[in-house]
Amino acid sequence: MNKKTLLSGVKPTGRPHIGNYFGAMKQFVDLRGEYENSYIFIADYHALTSEKEGFDIREDSLNLALDYLAIGLDPKKVTLFRQSSVPQVTELSWIFSCLVTMPYLMRAHAFKDAEAKNKEVNVGTFNYPVLMAADILIQDTDIVPVGKDQKQHIEITREIARKFNIQYGLTFKEPQEKILEETETVIGIDGQKMSKSYGNTIPLFATDEETEKIIMSVPMDSKGIDEKKNPEDYNLYKIFKLFATSEEDIEIREMFEKGGVGYAEIKKYVAGVINDYLREMRERRKELENNGDYVLEILEKGGKIARERAEKKMVEVRKKVGLV
Ligand code: TRP
């Protein structure tokens, strides 16, 4: 087993859809057990930077934990915790804030985007990469699996580690990102990339009925029932492919290619295949929902492990900085 430490954070984003699942979530779970120390945390401090009215971070965080446990994250192999269980990161973030300059942070994409969209960016958003550096460096992380939009944040993290090490002596490791390529670009029911903002999603944890209703609404064309069709021309087929075994694929290709099968029937078949594929994780999520104490216990346990490791590092940092 790889002795290195892996760490990554995820922000609560609301109800996940199958695009989130195949694009990112699944890959986290697939990493399990590869590294001796794996930490995945729910970035609730970071979520505060974009807090809107009506949001409930506590609730969203618990839901995110349920989502990950339901899709197969194994809490025995991965330490799962809430970022706010490690308040030491805010302390370290302050120390880092005194090392990096404003012009340097002003070049961060996330800040530039936020500024372009909204006139009054909060200081938390500006400091976002610094808190992220603290998350990573406080745990002596080697590898950070992230989407490519986060690459710059890891570069900033390395820069902060270097600056600290030069000023106070070697303390932090320089971590490497592991870019999670979107192996599957999941399209929505309208053929655009699946995204909540396009309203074209299929929720991961929907009921069978909800899923079927969405599948029945996927636009097709006006070809007659007996006409031969090419499955590749249909969004329905592209979505289906994510879930299908090769036998199921052969079966549906026949329905399209031979003709004689109506779209409603094909769609029923697709909905059935999707629901079968997702059944186990949906059931597991239900079970976990009814077992809130167990989930809280996992988060508390994980939090304790992460906090103790962070505190140990902070003892060293405070000493080096001259704070004790
Ligand atoms: N910024 C990350 C995102 O938006 C979440 C995050 C916070 C993170 N802290 C982290 C990721 C530390 C990796 C490591 O997805």
Side-chain angles (χ1 to χ4, degrees), residues 96 99-109 111-112 126 129-130 133 151-163:
F96 287 164
L99 271 179
V100 283
T101 67
M102 299 229 339
Y104 179 69
L105 286 184
M106 276 168 159
R107 294 202 293 269
H109 305 311
F111 167 66
K112 284 201 279 192
F126 183 68
V130 181
K151 190 171 180 329
Q152 191 188 35
H153 286 149
I154 314 301
E155 285 160 6
I156 295 173
T157 300
R158 280 195 292 271
E159 177 65 20
I160 290 177
R162 273 195 289 273
K163 269 202 144 171

Side-chain angles (χ1 to χ4, degrees), residues 7-11 41 43 46 83 128 131-133 135-136 144-146 149-150 153-154:
L7 171 137
S8 195
V10 276
K11 269 198 307 189
F41 66 90
H46 276 112
Q83 187 180 27
Y128 190 110
L131 179 58
M132 192 161 153
D135 292 330
I136 296 168
V144 190
V146 281
D149 64 320
Q150 298 295 313
H153 286 149
I154 314 301

